[in-house]
Amino acid sequence: MKPDWDKLMEEYDGHADILIADVDCTAAGKSLCDEQGVKGFPTIKHGDPENLEDYKGKRDYEALAEFAKTKLGPRCGPANLDLCEDSKKQQIQEYMAMPMDDLTAKVNEGVDAMAAADKELEELLKSLQSQYEAATKTKEEKMDAIKSAGLGLLKSVLSHRKKQEL
């Protein structure tokens, strides 16, 4: 994917409305990646820099280039109301009219709700991991008991008798 991404970055280098870039999340860009919720590599994000979304498409050059051509660029938002549908315009205008403290509180509420959803999933995954480990241990104990009860010897005798019948 890296060569295709580099080709796309070169193609859009200096573009007035579209930025295609990469960030090294293991070095200088770590804080940015943490802020944007990057958990695995490579991760592709797109959209409003204040509200990036995960890219879910194919990762070959043709798919990335088509996505860049058709989906990237100015989007509906406070700086581009002319690109918004009426319902989004109204929502943006309502948010713009909110006192800063209320707006900040609403953003924090949403961020906290997303963090809570992440935490719930993390706790579920830990529980599932524990269940998996317990079930694996139980399975291994059962298999050891079956083997100890003579399964290997039974298989050997069965094979030997089949050869004798020939």
Side-chain angles (χ1 to χ4, degrees):
M1 186 186 120
K2 178 81 169 121
D4 290 339
W5 189 257
D6 289 343
K7 181 177 177 183
L8 199 61
M9 280 195 320
E10 188 176 311
E11 224 174 275
Y12 281 88
D13 186 33
H15 194 283
D17 296 318
I18 297 173
L19 171 66
I20 307 247
D22 56 19
V23 176
D24 183 352
C25 292
T26 63
K30 185 169 179 3
S31 63
L32 176 62
C33 293
D34 290 345
E35 180 183 312
Q36 293 300 327
V38 174
K39 297 195 184 344
F41 311 111
T43 295
I44 299 174
K45 299 272 191 176
H46 67 93
D48 182 332
E50 298 303 320
N51 186 30
L52 292 175
E53 301 172 37
D54 289 327
Y55 171 77
K56 295 183 170 120
K58 293 183 179 178
R59 292 171 177 239
D60 59 84
Y61 175 77
E62 290 74 23
L64 292 167
E66 179 64 19
F67 183 82
K69 184 172 127 183
T70 59
K71 304 287 185 187
L72 298 183
R75 298 174 75 170
C76 167
N80 296 301
L81 282 175
D82 58 315
L83 300 176
C84 299
E85 296 175 7
D86 288 342
S87 61
K88 275 289 183 213
K89 259 187 217 178
Q90 183 178 351
Q91 191 176 23
I92 290 169
Q93 289 167 344
E94 288 171 11
Y95 291 160
M96 293 292 286
M98 290 175 81
M100 281 297 283
D101 288 346
D102 293 352
L103 187 60
T104 301
K106 196 132 182 97
V107 167
N108 289 339
E109 182 182 304
V111 168
D112 291 347
M114 290 183 75
D118 276 342
K119 186 175 180 183
E120 280 179 34
L121 178 61
E122 190 176 310
E123 288 172 6
L124 174 65
L125 291 174
K126 284 180 186 175
S127 170
L128 290 172
Q129 183 64 31
S130 296
Q131 291 177 40
Y132 171 78
E133 289 170 4
T136 299
K137 183 179 179 194
T138 300
K139 174 196 149 213
E140 288 171 358
E141 288 169 353
K142 287 179 181 178
M143 292 181 89
D144 286 345
I146 293 167
K147 289 176 185 175
S148 294
L151 178 61
L153 191 54
L154 283 167
K155 285 181 175 181
S156 180
V157 170
L158 178 62
S159 175
H160 178 73
R161 289 194 50 196
K162 283 182 178 179
K163 287 178 189 174
Q164 283 182 334
E165 288 179 4
L166 295 175

